[in-house]
Amino acid sequence: MLHVGNAGGGRILVDPGALQYDPKFLDDWARTDAVLITHWHVDHFNHDAIKQINAPVYATAEAAKKYPDIKITIVKPGDKLELAPGIIAQVTNAFHGYNPWLKGPLEVEQTVGYMIAAEGKKIYFTGDTICFKNEYKCDVLCAPVSGYGLTMSPFEVALFANECGAELVLPCHMDNPKYPVETEKVQSILSAHETNCRVLKPSEFVNV
């Protein structure tokens, strides 16, 4: 989950998932101007929490079909969204990886990323994606680093960040015990490829 804000008070919530969710998060999550969802998996879409958030929800058509009781504005790569005063998001391509554990009902057909622009900076949230060719440019890259065939590995994130011109990488989605991640190893690999990174703790913020 990523919460993006600006000096004007705009707040954007990205992928509020159910893994390691604490009900006390909802007080903070509810004070958001928009909710961006990359794909329908419950570790990115906490249905019960999102139902209690009074803000527009943006997601793929597949997610809207999975959760018909939630009002969702359907997005696709190439769309541009005005989320709050001074905050614009571009919907980007993404390609969720596959392994046999996802075979059948857990497979994902549609996933996206979001390039969020605010106060002259661009923060790119890739969502769960493997490496792919693109021309996206950003200041900050937020990318899952677990690998396991589903997302980029730390090595791939380092290469991806360099291609995007990111000055800072915020590794994310290290909360799934089914796909364990060694934080020190992630930092070591990214640093070895001259990639500046910072691992945030829950509720920790960074100014960019």
Side-chain angles (χ1 to χ4, degrees), residues 11-184:
R11 293 163 61 89
I12 310 304
L13 182 64
V14 184
D15 277 0
L19 286 181
Q20 300 187 27
Y21 173 72
D22 189 314
K24 68 182 181 183
F25 295 165
L26 189 58
D27 288 340
D28 185 50
W29 290 8
R31 294 182 293 110
T32 193
D33 293 289
V35 180
L36 304 181
I37 305 294
T38 61
H39 63 289
W40 69 267
H41 278 164
V42 296
D43 52 347
H44 296 257
F45 197 116
N46 186 330
H47 173 271
D48 292 343
I50 291 172
K51 282 198 72 172
Q52 300 179 69
I53 298 174
N54 185 26
V57 178
Y58 299 88
T60 63
E62 183 179 34
K65 184 176 181 179
K66 292 283 184 178
Y67 304 106
D69 61 328
I70 293 181
K71 184 179 179 180
I72 291 176
T73 298
I74 296 173
V75 299
K76 62 184 183 305
D79 289 349
K80 285 192 176 183
L81 315 170
E82 185 172 357
L83 304 176
I87 302 181
I88 304 294
Q90 176 187 350
V91 186
T92 68
N93 284 313
F95 300 91
H96 198 294
Y98 170 84
N99 71 32
W101 289 352
L102 296 187
K103 188 174 183 178
L106 290 179
E107 289 186 50
V108 176
E109 295 182 2
Q110 297 177 353
T111 186
V112 296
Y114 296 95
M115 183 80 71
I116 302 172
E119 298 186 340
K121 296 287 187 178
K122 288 186 176 181
I123 303 173
Y124 178 15
F125 191 89
T126 70
D128 285 1
T129 186
I130 56 177
C131 217
F132 65 95
K133 184 179 180 180
N134 69 86
E135 297 181 354
Y136 300 135
K137 298 297 179 185
C138 65
D139 300 286
V140 180
L141 179 70
C142 303
V145 293
S146 56
Y148 294 93
L150 303 177
T151 75
M152 291 181 279
S153 68
F155 169 73
E156 292 165 323
V157 168
L159 299 184
F160 198 88
N162 290 334
E163 286 288 293
C164 291
E167 299 172 358
L168 174 66
V169 172
L170 301 178
C172 58
H173 205 350
M174 297 183 285
D175 54 350
N176 193 338
K178 192 173 183 179
Y179 303 107
V181 176
E182 297 179 30
T183 300
E184 291 184 0

Side-chain angles (χ1 to χ4, degrees), residues 158 185-197:
K185 184 177 181 181
V186 169
Q187 294 174 314
S188 176
I189 292 174
L190 290 173
S191 296
H193 290 85
E194 300 182 348
T195 303
N196 182 29
C197 76

